[in-house]
RNA sequence: GUGGCUAUAGCUCAGUCGGUAGAGCGCCUGGUUGUGGUCCAGGAGGUCGCCGGUUCAAGCCCGGUUAGCCACCCCA
């Protein structure tokens, strides 16, 4: 048999892992719908020029090509002029296109969730995949989008992730910043290359304060004092509105106050205040969060798993003043995206969350001998009719083997048909008489459950 | 795209100084009268990633190649 090797970056779970993933997806979806987000799905491909819009040349896009393309249509370019297609690398670009395409039929502000696979042609490693699932929520407005949505979106996400706590998800920390604060502060200092400064600040975790200070001077042309100011700003963090005062004081000290800074601070303060009341301890302002250098214009978010910070952000997003635009109308939006595959891969590899079994089956009906298989099928039918997931033994092997079949799969009950039916809980060994038309397993054994790992 | 490491049984790995392969787990069979897990006995299973080179002889040395892992970059 040909040797099969896993394809790096294209994760696949075993059935019990899939149970965990499916549970995570269910909880996310339920929470999103609870908050009024409507579900959509967009096609997997977009025209390549659309995907590469916004100058995102760094994104590694998988391009779609037909096997028969060559030879068949040397005239394709001159003829149909088919657009080159690429697999989407996130759900925001397709959503923006979808909004424009359906603007006349959507009601704004439009709240949608979208859970789909995305593809990125990057070099994979732990927690980084080339094919992975994202779960996005966004709110998009026509022309304008009130700031309170920038407060709502991370709180919905905090609630969704919070709902997974009981099955083993570690606590999460949503780090927030506001692009206007950073931009206002830097401009107030006299630094005009806001993106450049942010890019350096983003390296703080990796290379440390001193190196970043050097880079700010060398690359961004900052004075030592300006660099120090940027680093002081980046050092500010906290979960209450004192961070706003801290920034104001800092700005005053460097004489860097601007209107833009004040606007940003007001927004950030409102977010922190609301979050403190609605999800205490979850949302933390962190003035060094940069995120998606080019397109975010207001709040930016990043989410860490407490105890797994090395994994990177499992959920991030922000506010775009121009999520989509058709030239005449602009559609601002704010959204967050959960990296479901990254999250689930860690939950599984670290044993944080496990499924009680990998098969849906609650009962395995034994087969006495092949001549009596119909009797076992009848028992199974009776159980299934009452919603009990049931399977029939693959062969009329010795009962010990049939029990083993159940054990290997985590099926909790084995049914022995006969004059007097009996059902055995193979975990306890307890075996009792039972009637296929009335017996039911305990509620907790009816379906696989997801539980915290050991 | 750049750099480092790795590739031997289904899985995790050992294999000394070059002398045609081992362990643990798993799997199969048996331990009598149809009830698993523990225990005991036995058994199956490997083109040592692939191609080439050196050598009397290569899992081991050399070159190439493919794949995987890790780091950088970037990001979910």
């Amino acid at each position: 048999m040909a040797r099969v090797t896993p394809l790096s970056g294209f994760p696949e779970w075993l059935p019990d892992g899939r149970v965990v993933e499916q549970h995570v997806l269910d909880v996310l979806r339920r929470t999103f719908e609870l908050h009024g987000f409507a579900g959509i799905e967009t096609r997997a491909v977009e025209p390549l020029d659309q995907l590469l819009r916004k100058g995102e040349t760094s994104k590694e896009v998988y391009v779609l090509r037909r096997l028969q393309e060559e030879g068949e249509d040397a005239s394709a370019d001159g003829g149909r002029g088919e657009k080159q297609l690429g697999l989407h690398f996130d759900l925001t670009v397709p959503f923006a296109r979808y909004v424009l395409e359906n603007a006349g039929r959507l009601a704004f502000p439009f709240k949608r969730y979208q859970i789909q696979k995305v593809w990125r042609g990057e070099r994979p490693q732990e927690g980084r995949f080339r094919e992975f699932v994202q779960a996005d929520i966004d709110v998009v407005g026509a022309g304008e989008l009130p700031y309170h949505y920038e407060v709502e979106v991370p709180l919905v996400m905090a609630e969704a992730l919070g709902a997974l706590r009981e099955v083993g998800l570690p606590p999460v920390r949503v780090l927030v910043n506001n692009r206007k604060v950073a931009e206002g502060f830097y401009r107030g200092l006299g630094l005009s290359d806001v993106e450049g400064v942010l890019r350096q600040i983003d390296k703080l975790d990796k290379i440390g304060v001193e190196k970043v200070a050097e880079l700010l001077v060398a690359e961004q042309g900052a004075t030592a004092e300006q660099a120090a100011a940027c680093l002081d700003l980046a050092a500010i963090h906290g979960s209450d509105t004192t961070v706003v005062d801290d920034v104001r004081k800092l700005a005053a000290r460097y004489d860097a106050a601007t209107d833009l800074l004040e606007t940003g601070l007001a927004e950030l303060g409102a977010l922190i205040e609301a979050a403190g009341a609605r999800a205490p301890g979850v949302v933390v302002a962190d003035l060094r969060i940069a995120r998606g250098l080019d397109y975010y214009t207001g709040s930016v978010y990043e989410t860490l798993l407490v105890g797994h910070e090395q994994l990177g952000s499992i959920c991030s997003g922000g506010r775009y003043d121009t999520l989509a635009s058709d030239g005449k109308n602009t559609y601002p939006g704010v959204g967050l995206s959960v990296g479901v595959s990254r999250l689930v891969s860690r939950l599984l590899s670290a044993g944080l969350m496990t499924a009680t079994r990998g098969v849906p089956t609650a009962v395995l009906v034994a087969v006495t001998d092949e001549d009596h298989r119909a009797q076992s099928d009848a028992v199974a039918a009776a159980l299934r009719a009452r919603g009990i997931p049931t399977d029939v033994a693959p062969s009329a092997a010795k009962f010990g083997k049939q029990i083993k079949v159940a054990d290997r799969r985590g099926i909790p009950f084995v049914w022995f048909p006969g004059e007097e039916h009996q059902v055995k809980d193979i975990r306890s060994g307890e075996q009792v008489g039972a009637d296929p038309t009335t017996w039911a397993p305990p509620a907790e054994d009816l379906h696989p459950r997801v539980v915290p790992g050991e």
Side-chain angles (χ1 to χ4, degrees):
Chain A
M1 193 155 67
R3 192 187 193 84
V4 291
T5 54
L7 247 186
S8 176
F10 293 83
E12 296 178 326
W13 315 130
L14 290 170
D16 59 343
R18 173 60 176 169
V19 171
V20 169
E21 181 180 51
Q22 194 66 256
H23 180 77
V24 169
L25 293 171
D26 286 347
V27 168
L28 292 175
R29 181 160 91 100
R30 206 177 307 139
T31 309
F32 298 161
E33 291 183 349
L34 198 57
H35 286 266
F37 289 80
I40 67 164
E41 177 169 291
T42 61
R43 64 201 184 202
V45 296
E46 297 293 334
L48 202 53
D49 53 349
Q50 285 288 312
L51 290 173
L52 298 176
R53 205 170 41 106
K54 300 197 220 174
E56 298 216 37
T57 46
S58 64
K59 292 275 195 268
E60 289 285 354
V61 175
Y62 280 110
V63 173
L64 212 63
R65 197 177 64 208
R66 285 186 304 122
L67 201 55
Q68 308 300 335
E69 202 164 24
E70 278 175 298
E72 173 191 302
D73 54 359
S75 60
D77 279 24
R80 284 256 156 73
E82 281 184 31
K83 282 183 181 170
Q84 217 183 350
L85 301 177
L87 293 169
H88 56 222
F89 55 80
D90 70 12
L91 300 178
T92 305
V93 171
F95 177 53
R97 188 268 309 158
Y98 178 95
V99 166
L100 289 179
E101 207 165 303
N102 297 291
R105 285 168 286 187
L106 295 173
F108 296 94
F110 177 49
K111 299 168 71 172
R112 82 88 174 76
Y113 73 86
Q114 192 171 348
I115 300 175
Q116 287 181 241
K117 289 218 164 130
V118 305
W119 295 267
R120 293 183 191 178
E122 294 169 350
R123 192 66 64 95
Q125 45 186 279
E126 206 212 336
R128 286 188 78 184
F129 303 109
R130 299 197 280 199
E131 175 183 79
F132 58 99
V133 176
Q134 281 194 328
D136 277 35
I137 51 173
D138 284 270
V139 183
V140 59
E144 60 175 21
L145 183 73
Y147 174 74
H148 64 81
Y149 287 113
E150 291 176 54
V151 178
E152 174 177 338
V153 163
L155 288 172
V156 171
M157 212 43 110
E159 184 176 320
L161 295 171
L164 289 165
R165 285 287 304 270
E166 63 185 38
V167 290
L169 186 81
V172 299
R173 198 123 299 158
V174 180
L175 308 179
V176 304
N177 193 3
N178 192 295
R179 182 54 54 82
K180 291 170 187 161
V181 172
E183 183 167 351
F185 185 83
Y186 299 153
R187 290 196 191 286
L189 281 176
L191 293 169
S192 57
D193 182 5
V194 174
E195 280 181 25
V197 174
L198 281 171
R199 207 184 341 266
Q200 306 303 350
I201 292 294
D202 199 37
K203 296 178 183 168
L204 269 171
D205 279 337
K206 293 257 164 72
I207 63 177
V209 174
E210 282 149 40
K211 289 267 171 55
V212 170
E214 288 170 20
L215 283 171
L216 284 171
V217 172
E219 306 281 328
Q220 257 57 53
T223 65
E225 194 192 19
Q226 287 172 324
C230 292
L231 290 166
D232 283 349
L233 180 71
I236 294 173
H237 62 274
S239 55
D240 57 55
T241 50
T242 57
V243 295
V244 172
D245 301 327
D246 290 345
V247 175
R248 276 207 191 95
K249 278 184 227 157
L250 186 68
R253 176 140 49 93
Y254 287 100
D255 194 23
T258 59
D259 288 347
L260 188 60
L261 175 65
E262 261 315 308
T263 306
L265 284 174
E267 292 182 357
L268 186 61
L271 173 48
I272 291 299
E273 200 167 348
R278 288 167 62 178
V282 174
V283 176
V284 179
D286 190 326
L287 278 292
R288 75 161 116 176
I289 300 302
R291 270 301 128 190
L293 304 163
D294 32 13
Y295 32 81
Y296 294 124
T297 53
S299 299
V300 291
Y301 319 101
E302 187 166 307
T303 310
L304 298 176
L305 266 192
V306 174
H308 301 263
E309 289 80 5
Q310 287 293 82
L311 185 62
S313 177
I314 53 149
C315 173
S316 50
R319 153 96 186 205
Y320 305 69
D321 280 342
T322 312
L323 174 77
S325 173
D326 60 9
K328 269 195 273 186
N329 310 292
T330 63
Y331 301 87
V334 58
L336 264 171
S337 174
V338 187
V340 176
S341 300
R342 170 175 290 184
L343 181 62
V344 169
S345 72
R346 175 54 64 98
L347 292 174
L348 295 177
S349 69
L352 295 168
M353 226 180 251
T354 58
T356 52
R357 60 182 186 259
V359 293
T361 323
V363 182
L364 179 76
V365 183
V367 177
T368 311
D369 61 75
E370 289 299 338
D371 290 340
H372 291 83
R373 176 170 287 276
Q375 183 186 18
S376 299
D377 287 334
V379 172
L383 293 173
R384 291 174 189 140
R386 290 185 294 110
I388 302 167
T390 304
D391 203 356
V392 178
S395 73
K398 293 170 74 171
F399 282 167
K401 281 196 165 182
Q402 298 196 43
I403 291 170
K404 218 166 166 180
V405 165
D407 192 37
R408 288 280 318 264
R409 281 148 237 255
I411 300 169
F413 295 95
V414 175
W415 191 285
F416 297 102
E419 296 283 310
E420 195 221 352
H421 294 278
Q422 296 206 313
V423 65
K424 175 186 183 112
D425 182 333
I426 66 172
R427 296 159 302 187
S428 64
E430 188 189 359
Q431 186 167 332
V432 296
D435 181 342
T437 62
T438 58
W439 179 88
E444 68 265 25
D445 289 330
L446 189 57
H447 300 291
R449 282 173 303 122
V450 173
V451 296
E454 65 289 344

